[in-house]
Amino acid sequence: MPASDYCPATLQQVQASVTGFFQEVGCELLAYGADHATVGLNLTAQHLNNASTLHGGVMATLMDVAMGLCGTWEADPAQRRVAITLSMSLNFSAPARVGSHVRAVARCRSSGNKVFMAGCDLLDQDDRLIAFGEGVFKRGALRTELPV
């Protein structure tokens, strides 16, 4: 896993600024830096589908957040922009069960002024590939410009 470019306190600050469903699901920002982000989750019963494995929507959320973050890093976290998902393609390759710890490891593949492309692997605690994908994202407003 790539190291974070932020100290632990700043990493926590950024994690708290990722609002909405990320917080509801129980995600954790594990590493964040220029062109990379890693998001983790300890799987509980609320994250499962009817087959008692990790729900595809939860996998998509983890990967979407990690890929969106990997293209929005700034040295000053207050200057970080939100990412707007333009398209995303995911492939699910293995199940994950309750008690597992999964992490979405994303890398920015290409970046322009407003649009960037990212790839992501979703891995379990044994580094087994659970899912993989790629996406295209647009940099949006600064976090400080958003309504509270």
Side-chain angles (χ1 to χ4, degrees):
M1 176 171 67
S4 184
D5 290 356
Y6 287 141
C7 70
T10 304
L11 192 64
Q12 287 291 338
Q13 176 188 354
V14 172
Q15 177 174 316
S17 78
V18 182
T19 57
F21 197 51
F22 175 87
Q23 300 294 338
E24 289 296 318
V25 170
C27 300
E28 178 184 13
L29 183 58
L30 301 174
Y32 188 35
D35 298 330
H36 70 87
T38 303
V39 173
L41 179 66
N42 290 316
L43 302 186
T44 65
Q46 74 179 14
H47 301 122
L48 303 182
N49 59 22
N50 286 331
S52 298
T53 61
L54 180 57
H55 191 284
V58 176
M59 288 190 247
T61 296
L62 289 166
M63 296 170 72
D64 183 41
V65 170
M67 287 190 285
L69 283 170
C70 80
T72 60
W73 187 89
E74 293 290 338
D76 176 358
Q79 295 302 309
R80 184 173 63 81
R81 295 191 174 276
V82 297
I84 300 151
T85 308
L86 299 177
S87 69
M88 193 168 63
S89 172
L90 305 178
N91 298 284
F92 305 113
S93 58
R97 305 204 184 281
V98 156
S100 299
H101 181 269
V102 295
R103 65 191 188 288
V105 181
R107 288 235 174 248
C108 192
R109 297 193 187 278
S110 176
S111 184
N113 226 9
K114 294 183 180 183
V115 174
F116 65 94
M117 290 161 263
C120 188
D121 288 340
L122 185 67
L123 307 166
D124 69 9
Q125 68 273 357
D126 298 321
D127 287 334
R128 184 174 59 122
L129 186 65
I130 304 298
F132 56 97
E134 54 189 26
V136 179
F137 300 82
K138 178 181 177 186
R139 288 182 191 91
L142 290 173
R143 293 290 310 160
T144 55
E145 296 171 345
L146 298 177
V148 181

